[in-house]
Amino acid sequence: QVQLVEYGGGSVQAGGSLRLSCAASGGTFRSYNMGWFRQTPGKEREFVAFITWTGTHTRYADSVKGRFIISRDNAEKGAYLQMNSLKPEDTAVYYCAARIWSPGDSAFLTIPQEYRNWGQGTQVTVSS
């Protein structure tokens, strides 16, 4: 089982950028599809971005499309979320998640319940 730790959260003004990192240990990272989710108090955890285990396919929530970029480095066992043009509504705790690739899985994993492994989360606060 892979263990995940997120880094890079913080406070930024609207229009600014942040880069979140998700460091993996244990398991075979290159076999895991990776996702980023976020959550605000009283709300469900929502999908942000997804990248396949190969790194060749990505998917984004409409709310972040064109502003956020997900990437991964299998050699470094890391997944990343570059967040640009940040808005106050992007304020949330951001989580990375992993699910080992399986031939029976959906092509794009956008539902929290599809993931078995989660990081502890990192706070992102965007002020207006």
Side-chain angles (χ1 to χ4, degrees):
Q1 291 286 331
V2 67
Q3 290 81 47
L4 306 172
V5 178
E6 300 95 339
Y7 300 95
S11 297
V12 64
Q13 288 193 324
S17 298
L18 281 174
R19 185 176 189 246
L20 303 184
S21 299
C22 175
S25 60
T28 305
F29 179 72
R30 63 179 180 272
S31 300
Y32 285 81
N33 290 313
M34 299 296 297
W36 285 96
F37 291 79
R38 65 188 182 187
Q39 190 169 23
T40 54
K43 291 193 174 182
E44 298 287 323
R45 194 166 294 188
E46 69 169 354
F47 168 73
V48 175
F50 166 82
I51 188 165
T52 55
W53 62 282
T54 59
T56 53
H57 299 285
T58 59
R59 177 155 286 186
Y60 297 92
D62 288 343
S63 58
V64 307
K65 203 173 293 183
R67 300 188 297 123
F68 290 12
I69 301 171
I70 188 172
S71 61
R72 66 187 296 159
D73 185 331
N74 286 344
E76 295 294 323
K77 294 187 177 181
Y80 311 97
L81 187 67
Q82 178 66 43
M83 305 187 295
N84 301 319
S85 302
L86 281 161
K87 304 175 181 180
E89 50 264 43
D90 294 319
T91 295
V93 177
Y94 283 71
Y95 299 88
C96 67
R99 179 181 172 94
I100 196 164
W101 177 83
S102 171
D105 282 349
S106 302
F108 301 100
L109 305 177
T110 62
I111 301 172
Q113 290 79 3
E114 294 177 303
Y115 292 84
R116 284 178 169 259
N117 305 95
W118 292 86
Q120 82 290 348
T122 186
Q123 176 72 44
V124 171
T125 302
V126 184
S127 58
S128 57

